[in-house]
Amino acid sequence: MKGLAFSKRNDLEILRDPLNLIFGVGFPIVLLLLLTAIQANIPVPMFEIGHLAPGIAVFGLSFMTLFSATLIAKDRGSSFLQRLYATPLTAGDFILGYLLPILPVSMAQSVICYGAAVLLGLEVTVHLVASVLFTLPVSLLFVSLGLLCGSIFTDKQVGGVCGALLTNLTAWLSGVWFDLGLVGGAFQKIANLLPFVHAVELERAVLRGDYAGAFPHLWWVSAYAAAVTIIAVFAFLRQMKRQ
Amino acid sequence: MDAIKTVDLTKKYKDLTAVDALNLTVRQGELLSLLGVNGAGKTTTIKMLTGLTRPTSGDAFLNGKSVLTDSAAVKAMIAVSPQETAVAPHLTVRENLELMAGVHGFSKFEARDKVAELGGRFGLGELADKRAGKLSGGWQRRLSIAMALVSGPQILFLDEPTLGLDVLARGELWELIRALKGSMTVILTTHYMEEAEALSDRVAIMKSGRLLLADAPAEIKRRAGTDKFDQAFVRIVKGGQP
């Protein structure tokens, strides 16, 4: 109950920030519209809606890191957490309060992204629902990255690290905009060692109903999500002790 | 029983002793101001008393509960209004108050009653649906103190409550703080001498982590041989002893 009040506050803080809505919902939809328009004039298999929509859905989720990290870093910097640390809230309440409320927001973002894709011609199948559900481990990965970055960076640093670096890493190393095989070499090897391309391939496989093909990618994403969550929890506890 | 009793309370950071064997007693219902120049150890003392920092040695007892061994009981009886205005900017005034009620485990009905009571007491009623981030500095500070009072604390810590406010807003907050006297124990840190003199039952002066003295403002002036409180403070801090 105590933790729930804190979770609700975090949800409201994120949803009421107009910049979050612009970047979280508006930006991915604009990209979807733009690339679909390009595809209509110059057909490229990469930008076919069934191939593009899962990539944009994953790219959109990278903004959850920015939202989560900004909220935590601002709370740390503004004495708001100091006030709450002197209440009966436990460390678990804080960690769950920062992690859990953003997961439904991520789901809602994926629903909106796939909904826009349907309007642009994506076929409605049962796999579409599964695609939304399979964004959950991807969301956990990005939200945990937010907890980690928010625990170690200031709100200004978060803007650079999560707003610029992470979103670019997600964009370049995920295979959303170009086939990584075209670059090949070390670039492709590094991309394959990171979770972003696996998150996109997971979504693409589920959307086309290839669940057997989805699972290797699911393990990659889940392992990264679990590892980042554990590291983020330690980082948060460490800064809590320091404060 | 004393509201606060510290026993050789000490905090060291590597080579720096931020608070050095502090022995201080605060009576129930008393308003005590902690004064000192920057680095005197006021904030570290508050952090130890509120369970935010663990003492290196010694202990502090709040209404008989140790900050070392019974921090949950301590946290249940205290509230903190931090130096900066610590409000949730995108939440309304009402939602900020409800948040504090929620984290203290109040039911919906209890929270509603408490919010209505504090809204009336602090003149926040008409602003209940306004976002906290849109309030002026003075009103945000009011809200910040009201949030600290939601849980009905026995001991309230006010860290620089009027810092940066204009004369009018400061005067209004003084009235609100005066009204709290007697109903709860208040520990106030401030850099404003006139604030400490006007509001406090006793003033504790710290320097380099040590307590120089704790006494009523009139007695401090008498001991320093001046009728001006700021002069008395300077003499005591410069001299090390009154």
Side-chain angles (χ1 to χ4, degrees):
Chain A
M1 186 66 192
K2 291 170 186 171
L4 204 63
F6 180 60
S7 299
K8 186 183 165 191
R9 172 266 169 180
N10 294 336
D11 246 348
L12 290 175
E13 282 285 342
I14 286 174
L15 292 173
R16 284 181 183 171
D17 189 333
L19 277 179
N20 289 351
L21 291 179
I22 290 168
F23 278 99
V25 179
F27 192 49
I29 288 179
V30 167
L31 283 176
L32 207 54
L33 288 170
L34 195 67
L35 293 170
T36 307
I38 292 172
Q39 163 71 13
N41 292 320
I42 312 161
V44 185
M46 193 78 192
F47 294 157
E48 281 172 8
I49 196 72
H51 201 70
L52 179 65
I56 299 285
V58 169
F59 178 65
L61 289 174
S62 69
F63 287 99
M64 295 300 145
T65 304
L66 178 65
F67 303 161
S68 164
T70 304
L71 178 69
I72 297 164
K74 277 188 176 171
D75 284 353
R76 281 175 51 227
S78 73
S79 301
F80 189 77
L81 273 182
Q82 193 187 333
R83 173 194 286 282
L84 293 179
Y85 285 158
T87 68
L89 285 178
T90 63
D93 289 328
F94 284 108
I95 289 163
L96 292 177
Y98 279 127
L99 286 178
L100 297 183
I102 307 176
L103 294 178
V105 177
S106 308
M107 287 284 231
Q109 189 204 42
S110 301
V111 168
I112 291 168
C113 186
Y114 279 118
V118 167
L119 294 177
L120 293 169
L122 183 68
E123 193 184 348
V124 178
T125 64
V126 69
H127 307 310
L128 194 58
V129 179
S131 295
V132 172
L133 292 176
F134 273 82
T135 58
L136 200 61
V138 184
S139 302
L140 181 63
L141 168 66
F142 283 115
V143 175
S144 296
L145 273 171
L147 180 65
L148 177 62
C149 293
S151 299
I152 57 180
F153 297 122
T154 65
D155 58 328
K156 281 183 184 168
Q157 290 169 330
V158 158
V161 174
C162 302
L165 186 64
L166 183 76
T167 48
N168 269 296
L169 275 178
T170 311
W172 291 96
L173 297 170
S174 64
V176 177
W177 315 116
F178 55 87
D179 188 346
L180 294 173
L182 293 176
V183 183
F187 185 86
Q188 190 179 15
K189 280 180 185 164
I190 291 169
N192 281 329
L193 288 173
L194 292 170
F196 311 115
V197 67
H198 296 289
V200 172
E201 289 306 323
L202 164 69
E203 281 296 294
R204 282 176 179 160
V206 172
L207 189 63
R208 63 176 181 266
D210 176 14
Y211 292 95
F215 274 95
H217 302 295
L218 179 64
W219 303 140
W220 270 95
V221 173
S222 300
Y224 261 101
V228 172
T229 304
I230 290 166
I231 295 167
V233 166
F234 278 109
F236 185 82
L237 292 175
R238 189 163 170 263
Q239 70 76 31
M240 195 175 174
K241 201 176 170 189
R242 278 186 175 181
Q243 286 228 338
Chain B
M1 187 193 299
D2 294 318
I4 299 173
K5 183 179 174 64
T6 70
V7 182
D8 293 330
L9 192 67
T10 301
K11 182 70 186 181
K12 291 182 180 175
Y13 296 101
K14 293 181 181 169
D15 296 335
L16 175 77
T17 303
V19 176
D20 191 4
L22 178 71
N23 288 291
L24 176 69
T25 303
V26 185
R27 293 184 292 272
Q28 284 186 345
E30 188 177 22
L31 193 154
L32 178 120
S33 289
L34 274 179
L35 279 187
V37 293
N38 290 338
K42 306 184 299 285
T43 302
T44 307
T45 301
I46 299 288
K47 281 187 171 180
M48 286 190 284
L49 293 176
T50 53
L52 293 176
T53 295
R54 197 173 171 83
T56 308
S57 61
D59 201 349
F61 300 90
L62 279 69
N63 286 331
K65 307 288 183 189
S66 161
V67 294
L68 288 176
T69 59
D70 212 350
S71 67
V74 168
K75 285 186 175 183
M77 72 172 79
I78 65 164
V80 180
S81 181
Q83 187 178 110
E84 284 177 66
T85 307
V87 299
H90 288 106
L91 265 59
T92 65
V93 167
R94 177 185 289 113
E95 286 165 345
N96 266 286
L97 293 169
E98 285 173 349
L99 165 68
M100 295 311 292
V103 300
H104 280 94
F106 285 28
S107 71
K108 259 189 175 180
F109 297 110
E110 287 171 322
R112 195 184 57 194
D113 291 348
K114 198 73 192 175
V115 169
E117 182 219 320
L118 284 167
R121 204 160 126 199
F122 281 74
L124 292 163
E126 287 183 9
L127 300 169
D129 295 316
K130 191 165 181 177
R131 299 252 177 113
K134 302 279 182 193
L135 298 175
S136 69
W139 282 100
Q140 284 195 11
R141 215 56 76 84
R142 261 180 198 240
L143 173 60
S144 188
I145 296 175
M147 286 168 73
L149 294 176
V150 166
S151 61
Q154 296 167 45
I155 303 172
L156 173 66
F157 294 89
L158 296 175
D159 194 5
E160 304 274 4
T162 64
L163 186 71
L165 295 186
D166 61 45
V167 177
L168 284 179
R170 183 179 299 167
E172 287 171 1
L173 266 191
W174 280 13
E175 288 311 310
L176 290 169
I177 294 168
R178 270 201 194 97
L180 301 174
K181 285 173 77 168
S183 63
M184 64 187 68
T185 307
V186 181
I187 307 297
L188 182 145
T189 64
T190 181
H191 276 102
Y192 299 119
M193 298 297 133
E194 72 276 21
E195 183 164 287
E197 187 180 13
L199 297 176
S200 315
D201 296 311
R202 282 193 307 146
V203 174
I205 299 178
M206 294 182 74
K207 182 187 177 186
S208 305
R210 298 187 74 90
L211 179 67
L212 296 182
L213 88 168
D215 218 329
E219 184 60 20
I220 289 174
K221 286 190 288 188
R222 193 191 65 73
R223 287 165 73 171
T226 173
D227 59 353
K228 290 189 175 158
F229 189 73
D230 53 350
Q231 272 184 6
F233 172 77
V234 171
R235 283 184 192 178
I236 289 165
V237 170
K238 280 193 170 173
Q241 289 292 327

